[in-house]
Amino acid sequence: DSGVTQTPKHLITATGQRVTLRCSPRSGDLSVYWYQQSLDQGLQFLIQYYNGEERAKGNILERFSAQQFPDLHSELNLSSLELGDSALYFCASSDGGDEQFFGPGTRLTVL
Amino acid sequence: DQQVKQNSPSLSVQEGRISILNCDYTNSMFDYFLWYKKYPAEGPTFLISISSIKDKNEDGRFTVFLNKSAKHLSLHIVPSQPGDSAVYFCAASGYYGQNFVFGPGTRLSVLP
């Protein structure tokens, strides 16, 4: 158990819809990272927040957005969903060092 | 353009033998390198790391070697065990964990 929690575990929705994925980092960790893993592909970095502020941006689509709240939990919002958005979405947290601790992931299926 | 490459999608090794997983990177600004292991339906878990100022780091059965001039690192697992069967991701980051990039992963199968 990494200490990072993600909800929901599974999400099934239709094209064009909007969903919100939630992540609670390890206690004390200020950094939260979001990743997408599609069809046995490597982890694609989406975005990083540090203590409520966006720190780094990766391959995140404009239809996707994220935020980190004062209690340090983070949400990833995916809108105008397409079939290709079906993937595992992982959240990770760190205390500012290089090691990241990953949550169990949210499996999103877009039908 | 992949900054971190793992050119072997899969690797099969006999139990008790050595597993060698390779990783190449293109960005000379990477400062820290990590290996993660991932079982199906679980998030990746940290395995071992190495700073760019070192060329070797060892932790039990796992050793990571870094060749900065070749921009290459490798993970050695000796002896390999069936429980090591998983997908292994190589990752690299800049200073303070910025620009964190994962490779595509190598699926290791350790055969009993």
Side-chain angles (χ1 to χ4, degrees):
Chain A
D1 184 1
S2 66
V4 178
T5 60
Q6 288 186 249
T7 57
K9 195 172 177 62
H10 301 278
L11 197 50
I12 301 175
T13 187
T15 55
Q17 295 299 305
R18 173 190 169 96
V19 297
T20 297
L21 312 183
R22 183 188 168 102
C23 168
S24 293
R26 290 188 322 159
S27 176
D29 284 357
L30 299 180
S31 278
V32 169
Y33 305 77
W34 286 98
Y35 294 89
Q36 179 193 58
Q37 185 181 18
S38 310
L39 296 173
D40 293 326
Q41 293 182 10
L43 291 158
Q44 299 293 318
F45 169 65
L46 296 178
I47 197 164
Q48 178 202 357
Y49 278 83
Y50 179 82
N51 202 20
E53 294 190 4
E54 184 182 303
R55 171 65 68 90
K57 223 169 188 175
N59 300 320
I60 187 167
L61 300 173
E62 285 192 11
R63 299 184 285 110
F64 296 0
S65 65
Q67 54 184 328
Q68 187 179 26
F69 295 86
D71 68 352
L72 300 178
H73 91 271
S74 178
E75 292 181 355
L76 178 67
N77 301 296
L78 315 176
S79 61
S80 303
L81 284 168
E82 302 174 359
L83 295 177
D85 297 328
S86 295
L88 265 170
Y89 291 84
F90 288 103
C91 164
S93 74
S94 78
D95 60 2
D98 291 292
E99 295 174 25
Q100 296 182 13
F101 298 85
F102 283 78
T106 293
R107 181 172 291 282
L108 173 66
T109 302
V110 182
L111 301 175
Chain B
D1 178 31
Q2 274 191 334
Q3 294 188 66
V4 178
K5 303 175 185 180
Q6 294 176 258
N7 292 323
S8 297
S10 63
L11 175 68
S12 291
V13 172
Q14 210 67 35
E15 181 179 4
R17 307 295 290 268
I18 183 171
S19 295
I20 300 176
L21 296 98
N22 293 304
C23 176
D24 297 288
Y25 61 95
T26 58
N27 189 342
S28 57
M29 298 302 291
F30 286 139
D31 192 54
Y32 203 71
F33 304 90
L34 308 92
W35 285 94
Y36 281 81
K37 179 168 71 173
K38 184 182 180 303
Y39 293 117
E42 294 183 13
T45 55
F46 171 75
L47 196 57
I48 192 169
S49 63
I50 187 167
S51 164
S52 61
I53 63 173
K54 293 186 175 182
D55 56 16
K56 178 182 174 182
N57 188 26
E58 192 171 353
D59 183 3
R61 296 186 297 115
F62 303 92
T63 303
V64 56
F65 295 91
L66 175 62
N67 182 335
K68 282 192 69 177
S69 60
K71 294 191 178 68
H72 176 84
L73 63 154
S74 60
L75 173 68
H76 293 212
I77 306 174
V78 182
S80 301
Q81 299 173 353
D84 295 329
S85 297
V87 176
Y88 289 78
F89 291 99
C90 169
S93 76
Y95 194 57
Y96 281 143
Q98 293 185 343
N99 195 24
F100 209 98
V101 181
F102 279 83
T106 296
R107 183 178 300 278
L108 173 67
S109 299
V110 180
L111 309 173

